[in-house]
Each structure stands twice: as C-alpha cells, then as structure tokens.
Amino acid sequence: MRRLINDGYDVVEEMLAGYVAANSEYATLLPDEGRVVISKKISEEPRVRIIIGGGSGHEPLFLGYVGENFADAAVIGNINTSPSPEPCYKAVKAVDSGKGCLYLYGNYAGDVLNFDMGAELAADEGIRVETVTVKDDVISSENFEDRRGVAGDVFVFKVAASAAAKGYDLEKVKEIAEFANANTFSMGVALSSATLPVTGKEIFEMKDGDMEVGMGIHGEPGIRREKIRPADEVVAEIYNYLKEHTDLTSGDEVAVLVNGLGGLPVMDQYVCYRKLDELLVADHIKVHKSLVGNYATSMDMVGMSITLMRVNDELKELLDSHCDTPYYKQ
Amino acid sequence: MRRLINDGYDVVEEMLAGYVAANSEYATLLPDEGRVVISKKISEEPRVRIIIGGGSGHEPLFLGYVGENFADAAVIGNINTSPSPEPCYKAVKAVDSGKGCLYLYGNYAGDVLNFDMGAELAADEGIRVETVTVKDDVISSENFEDRRGVAGDVFVFKVAASAAAKGYDLEKVKEIAEFANANTFSMGVALSSATLPVTGKEIFEMKDGDMEVGMGIHGEPGIRREKIRPADEVVAEIYNYLKEHTDLTSGDEVAVLVNGLGGLPVMDQYVCYRKLDELLVADHIKVHKSLVGNYATSMDMVGMSITLMRVNDELKELLDSHCDTPYYKQ
C-alpha cells in the first residue's frame, strides 16, 4: 500500500479535520455533525441553497467546492459510500433560508435512498428540498435515467450554484441543473485500481500495463480490458464514443473537463487535452471553457475521464460567473 | 508503466501544445521558441518581469504559474533537465520592459549554468537580469547555499511576483525574493519513484510498502529508507527536522504548503495537514496561510512534502495579494 494515513478507519474524520483547519476561511464542520461541511461564505440574502455530497475518496469533490457562489454545504459519506440520511437532513436545516434547497449528487442507488430520506425529514418541517442526480457517465447505460454521475458533477454543480447565486427560485434552479445534466457527457479509463484505506488493498486487480476502458470512479466495470494504448488513441476512442452515444454534434459549443482520477500526472492530462482539442477543432465543435486537473478523483487511481457539456448562452454565463472555493476559483 | 502518453520523446512538446490550447486565456508559446511559455496577462506598465523555469515533470510547476501578477514567462526543459540557454535568453527578450528581469528557479547546477548563460546573452544587449535560486530543501544540505529547491519555489515565486506587480525596482524585488528564500524550509518523503516517459521505467527502485525520508523531487536520495509509517509519525518527523535544522521557532508566523508529489491522494494530504496543524498550534507557531494540493510534483511519484515559510507583515501582504494563473488564483 502506498498511502500516507493513520488508522484506515479514521481516515475520513482526519481528512475532514485537516480540511477545515487548512480552509478555515471557506468552510467549517456543522457542530455536533462531523459529516456536514458548511460554507462560511453563504450569501446573506435569502436564496436557494445548494447541497452536494456523496462518498469520500473523490477529493476535491465534494468538500472542495463549498464556498462563495458554489455549494453551501457538502454531506460526506465513508469511502465510496453514501452519507446517512441524518447529515443530509441536518445540512438542509443548517443552510435553508426559506427559499428551499437543491440536493445535487451523482446518480447512485445508496445516495438516492439516503438523500431522499433527508429530504423527507426536511419536508416534515416544511422545508422544500428538490433533487437533481447527475447522470453523465455515458458508458454506464444507454438509458439516461440509469447513468452514473462522475466528473460531470463539477459542471452541473457549478451551473446550478451560479443560478442560485443569481437569486432564481427553486423551480428555475432545478430546471437549469436538469438542462445542464441532460447536456453533460463523460467517459473514462483506468490504468490502476484505487487503494482502500481500511484493507490497504486495491479494490480490484489490475496488472501494470493494463487499462480498463469505461471504468467508473468507484471501480465499476467498463466495457473492455486491454493493454494501455497511446494517449491519442484512447482520447479518440472516448471522444468518438461520446459523439456516437449522445446527440452531441458538429456546430455545438462545449465546456471541456479532462479530469485526472488521482494518480495520473498533470503532464499526461495535457497530452490528452492536446488530442481532444485537435478532434474538437476538426469537428467544428467550439470550446467555450476548458479545465484540466484532478477535479473528481478515485483516491490514487491512475486514470482519466473526459467530460463535454454542451452549452448555450445561459449555461455559458452561469459557467463563467464568479465563484470562490478552495478548488474552484474564478 | 501506468502513463497515458504517446511517444515518450514527444511528451514535453505535446504537453505544452495541450497546455496553451487549454489555457489560451492565460498563456501562449513564444513564436519560433517552443520552450518558452509567455503570459497573456503581462502588465502594460513597465515593471520588473518574473521569469521562472526548470525541467519538466513537476507540473503545474512551472508553466501553471504564468499569468496575471505571477510569472511573466516560464522556460521549459526536458524531463528533470534544465532548459537550454537560448530559451532562457529569449524569454528575457520577449518580456523585458526596460526595468530588468528576475530569474527564479530551484537551485540545481544545470539550471544555474544555463540560466546564467541566458542572462549573459541578455546583458550583451544591455538588458539587466538578476537571479535568485530557491534553496528550501533543508535535508539536501546543512549549508543554505548548497540546498536544492523544491515546493518552496511556489511561495518564493509568489512573493517576488507580487513585489514586481507593486512596481518595485529590480534590486528591491530581488531583495524580497532573497528574504523569502532564506525563510522558506521544506522536506519531503517518497513512497514510490516517478516513471520516466521515454524508458517507461521507474527512475529508481522502490518496493511497495517502503518509504524514503528526505527524497528530492527528481529522486535524489534522502536520509533513510524504511517501511511506510503512520502519517502522524511522518509529519512529526518532518516538522521536528525543520525546526531543528532551521531557526524556525515558537512565536513565528508561517505560510504552510502540504504538497502532493503527484500520486498521493488529496485525502492523505489532508490527513497530513491535520497533524501538522496540531503540532504548529502546540508550538505557538501561527499559520497565516495554508495550501494543500499538488503544487510541485514529480509526475506520478507518490509522496508529500511540507514547506514552511516564516512571514513578516511585508511577506504576508505580498502572499495575500491578487494573482490569477491557471493553478494559483486568489
């Protein structure tokens, strides 16, 4: 195991303690609830509040995006495990300003179950909570409703948070988040497994030199395992798959995220971006915004995903608006 | 090899092409010189220009810090290899505004040789270039002048760039950079080697489960190889070493960087920060600013370094001032 931790059972609590100590200007833990990270930069205006969350191990997702004009709270689960209903509910109680809250998280059964229970607890007290589950992992299902959420989370969260920051009501913020969600498409490859802190073992076996095309961020199986191929071929396969399995087409304008899964050098991420940019230009798909980096990881997994979000004027404006969090500033 | 690249010999050029495509708002390559990244946000005022650089493989160092009120140019070498004198000189020619330039880079013999030759070429044309080599890696020598530069680069660069942005003259910018340099102390550990793109092999052998205390960012030997220990023990050893081998003392105020070397999860970085914060608090050393993330890497090396920069009021103001680059925004 190549991890620098203490007892594997303490890793989430210790990470959270470190996080709020290092980023005390931005965030704090909700008192008496160690699994809710609350923004210290919540607008004084009553607005729709944005609550994101999910299992740990994807840092800087989710806690790194709590701050000004982005998430107002993040609910934190154990490694690759949904948070419980109680912190989901307490996050709502802590941040609601009478305008309701929007839960935003990746589409996984455990998260849906627990966030829904959190919303019910809030409803019992008359607080409105709506939900949008991000479904950008195109390879996970032909059916949009069944798709998992991966790095596309970042774009959908950003757009929804900017809409809330503009003072839109809950219906409108939800509608925008759903529109962004329906226009966000991702696919990734993994070159290694992540290492679980408690067992010290890899989640699944992956020989050095092998690659799994289409793997999910928790190690969900992809479509094919093979020898690692040149970056240009891998990028072209992902790009072509995204084009074939969505309605993305020439003439579209997109926001792009080349996302490192944790162990892939920034150098390689830019080698990949170079090819992706070349393919987009050739297809007359215009890049409005591009991000390259470790935005949604799987701990030490070596791998990369590409996210394309088709943008219109409204999404562009929301993507471009000011926000300030430890891992997303503009 | 778990890398996602094409031909290993093309990796730096492909990375640079990807970088300027993805960050076209911030930077471009100098025409006819593929190894100089120039800021697109250079002040219109004549000011001292900040030129950073060194070998590739440490991304986002150096190119990621080219932008507004930070580096005006970065000169890019091959993997773990100094840039040639020619691009060092051309960077000066491209950005000088009559106020002179400051070269800032880590203290390695090859870099010193080549940047010095670049400065001589510039001097032949009457352009003043001064140099500060960063020497923060405390374990690399008892003698300050012989120390290597590692993640402390980031703080020294930031402070010098802020001084240039304030319109200070070259003497003053250099003096501030030297003061910051003398007050910046780092030490790291490695849990794996980095993988060289051309050979596809690790730079040195490191068994899974082993750790080298004090290793440099190119794989320079440290002081001891042993089994990986709990994060708290590793952090305490680094912190105590930094305190014992520098004049850092209780009552000081510091900027802190817990830097991931490439393959270490953000989760683990915060587990480490938690312990460091606890030790600093116990010793009455006040944290003015804290950064946690992959700021100066060694490609896919799993490891971590801690940097402490002692700050006074002037350094605090310079550290806190506005800048905007792809990997350092505030």
Side-chain angles (χ1 to χ4, degrees):
Chain A
M1 178 174 77
R2 287 172 160 153
R3 298 284 304 259
L4 209 44
I5 57 173
N6 298 300
D7 188 323
Y9 286 103
D10 298 331
V11 74
V12 175
E13 264 63 41
E14 292 188 352
M15 168 187 74
L16 288 170
Y19 187 82
V20 296
N23 299 291
S24 59
E25 188 191 335
Y26 289 97
T28 188
L29 289 172
L30 190 60
D32 305 320
E33 177 46 74
R35 294 304 186 94
V36 179
V37 176
I38 295 280
S39 173
K40 283 190 176 174
K41 294 175 178 276
I42 298 180
S43 164
E44 287 175 16
E45 298 290 314
R47 286 178 181 167
V48 172
R49 302 305 188 199
I50 300 295
I51 300 172
I52 62 177
S56 289
H58 309 302
E59 293 71 29
L61 189 72
F62 298 87
L63 73 188
Y65 306 125
V66 172
E68 185 189 355
N69 292 349
F70 215 129
D72 298 297
V75 193
I76 309 298
N78 286 327
I79 306 278
N80 290 349
T81 307
S82 166
S84 312
E86 189 78 5
C88 296
Y89 156 72
K90 284 185 175 170
V92 172
K93 278 288 283 183
V95 300
D96 181 64
S97 63
K99 300 282 184 180
C101 298
L102 185 63
Y103 279 157
L104 285 161
Y105 53 89
N107 186 39
Y108 297 92
D111 290 296
V112 172
L113 188 72
N114 290 326
F115 276 97
D116 278 358
M117 286 173 66
E120 280 170 31
L121 292 168
D124 289 346
E125 302 191 21
I127 307 176
R128 279 192 61 201
V129 179
E130 293 288 341
T131 297
V132 174
T133 60
V134 181
K135 306 177 181 81
D136 60 312
D137 189 1
V138 172
I139 216 160
S140 60
S141 175
E142 287 289 331
N143 177 12
F144 174 74
E145 288 303 327
D146 297 330
R147 285 179 184 162
R148 299 184 295 252
V150 288
D153 277 2
V154 177
F155 282 148
V156 178
F157 294 174
K158 166 64 181 141
V159 162
S162 297
K166 285 177 85 81
Y168 294 158
D169 67 19
L170 186 54
E171 286 68 28
K172 176 86 172 158
V173 175
K174 183 182 180 186
E175 183 189 308
I176 287 170
E178 282 177 338
F179 180 73
N181 197 16
N183 283 284
T184 302
F185 314 112
S186 302
M187 177 175 158
V189 294
L191 280 57
S192 83
S193 168
T195 309
L196 285 175
V198 168
T199 61
K201 307 278 184 211
E202 300 193 333
I203 300 177
F204 52 88
E205 213 175 313
M206 172 86 86
K207 272 196 302 198
D208 188 356
D210 277 3
M211 171 175 81
E212 184 145 331
V213 178
M215 180 165 278
I217 57 170
H218 308 90
E220 295 91 343
I223 50 171
R224 195 172 72 248
R225 192 171 290 199
E226 61 187 2
K227 294 283 165 214
I228 295 173
R229 283 182 292 133
D232 283 3
E233 290 180 25
V234 174
V235 169
E237 175 173 356
I238 293 176
Y239 176 71
N240 289 327
Y241 193 96
L242 292 179
K243 277 214 309 176
E244 281 165 29
H245 290 77
T246 69
D247 53 353
L248 198 70
T249 184
S250 294
D252 281 343
E253 198 164 354
V254 293
V256 179
L257 169 57
V258 170
N259 175 60
L261 288 176
L264 190 76
V266 172
M267 172 175 275
D268 302 26
Q269 295 170 25
Y270 278 109
V271 168
C272 292
Y273 185 85
R274 174 195 136 277
K275 180 63 182 176
L276 178 61
D277 188 69
E278 187 184 299
L279 293 167
L280 289 163
V281 166
D283 275 349
H284 307 286
I285 296 179
K286 190 178 166 200
V287 177
H288 173 69
K289 183 184 185 66
S290 48
L291 298 177
V292 179
N294 295 350
Y295 284 83
T297 69
S298 185
M299 296 184 285
D300 53 351
M301 182 183 279
V302 179
M304 179 272 301
S305 65
I306 292 174
T307 300
L308 301 175
M309 176 166 81
R310 179 171 40 217
V311 291
N312 59 11
D313 288 345
E314 182 172 45
L315 291 188
K316 285 196 278 186
E317 188 197 331
L318 295 168
L319 261 185
D320 293 348
S321 70
H322 168 74
C323 66
D324 184 17
T325 82
Y327 289 87
Y328 202 120
K329 295 179 204 285
Q330 71 182 17
Chain B
M1 179 174 78
R2 286 171 161 152
R3 298 285 304 260
L4 209 45
I5 57 174
N6 298 300
D7 188 323
Y9 286 101
D10 299 331
V11 74
V12 175
E13 264 63 42
E14 292 188 351
M15 169 187 73
L16 288 170
Y19 187 82
V20 295
N23 300 292
S24 59
E25 187 191 336
Y26 290 96
T28 187
L29 289 173
L30 191 60
D32 305 320
E33 179 44 76
R35 293 305 187 94
V36 179
V37 177
I38 295 279
S39 173
K40 284 192 176 173
K41 294 174 178 277
I42 298 181
S43 164
E44 287 174 17
E45 299 290 315
R47 285 178 181 167
V48 173
R49 301 306 187 198
I50 301 295
I51 299 173
I52 61 176
S56 289
H58 309 302
E59 293 71 29
L61 191 70
F62 299 85
L63 73 189
Y65 306 125
V66 171
E68 185 189 355
N69 291 349
F70 215 128
D72 297 298
V75 194
I76 309 298
N78 287 328
I79 304 278
N80 289 350
T81 307
S82 166
S84 312
E86 189 76 6
C88 295
Y89 156 70
K90 285 187 175 168
V92 172
K93 279 287 282 182
V95 301
D96 182 64
S97 63
K99 301 282 183 181
C101 298
L102 184 63
Y103 280 157
L104 285 162
Y105 52 88
N107 186 40
Y108 298 92
D111 291 296
V112 172
L113 188 72
N114 290 324
F115 275 97
D116 278 357
M117 287 173 66
E120 282 170 30
L121 292 168
D124 290 345
E125 301 191 21
I127 307 176
R128 278 193 61 201
V129 179
E130 294 286 343
T131 297
V132 174
T133 60
V134 181
K135 306 176 181 82
D136 59 312
D137 189 1
V138 172
I139 217 161
S140 59
S141 176
E142 288 288 332
N143 177 11
F144 174 73
E145 288 304 327
D146 297 330
R147 285 180 184 163
R148 298 185 294 253
V150 288
D153 277 1
V154 178
F155 283 147
V156 178
F157 296 174
K158 166 65 180 141
V159 162
S162 297
K166 284 176 86 82
Y168 293 159
D169 67 18
L170 187 54
E171 286 69 27
K172 176 86 173 160
V173 175
K174 184 182 179 187
E175 182 190 309
I176 287 170
E178 282 177 338
F179 180 73
N181 197 16
N183 283 284
T184 302
F185 315 111
S186 301
M187 177 176 159
V189 294
L191 281 57
S192 83
S193 168
T195 309
L196 285 175
V198 168
T199 61
K201 307 278 185 211
E202 301 193 332
I203 300 177
F204 53 87
E205 212 174 315
M206 173 86 86
K207 273 195 302 197
D208 188 357
D210 277 2
M211 171 175 81
E212 184 145 332
V213 178
M215 178 164 281
I217 58 169
H218 308 92
E220 295 91 344
I223 49 170
R224 194 172 73 249
R225 192 170 292 199
E226 61 186 2
K227 293 284 165 213
I228 296 173
R229 284 181 293 132
D232 283 4
E233 289 180 25
V234 174
V235 169
E237 176 173 357
I238 294 177
Y239 176 72
N240 288 327
Y241 192 96
L242 292 179
K243 277 213 310 177
E244 281 165 29
H245 291 77
T246 71
D247 54 351
L248 196 71
T249 184
S250 294
D252 281 343
E253 198 163 355
V254 293
V256 179
L257 169 57
V258 171
N259 176 59
L261 288 175
L264 190 76
V266 173
M267 174 176 273
D268 301 27
Q269 295 170 25
Y270 278 108
V271 168
C272 291
Y273 184 86
R274 175 195 136 275
K275 181 63 183 179
L276 178 62
D277 188 70
E278 186 184 300
L279 293 167
L280 289 163
V281 167
D283 275 348
H284 306 287
I285 296 180
K286 190 179 165 198
V287 177
H288 172 70
K289 183 184 185 64
S290 48
L291 297 177
V292 179
N294 295 350
Y295 284 83
T297 69
S298 185
M299 295 184 286
D300 53 349
M301 182 182 277
V302 181
M304 181 271 303
S305 65
I306 292 173
T307 299
L308 302 174
M309 176 166 83
R310 179 174 37 220
V311 291
N312 60 11
D313 287 346
E314 183 173 44
L315 292 187
K316 285 195 278 186
E317 188 196 330
L318 295 169
L319 260 185
D320 293 349
S321 71
H322 168 74
C323 66
D324 184 17
T325 82
Y327 289 88
Y328 202 121
K329 296 178 203 286
Q330 70 182 17

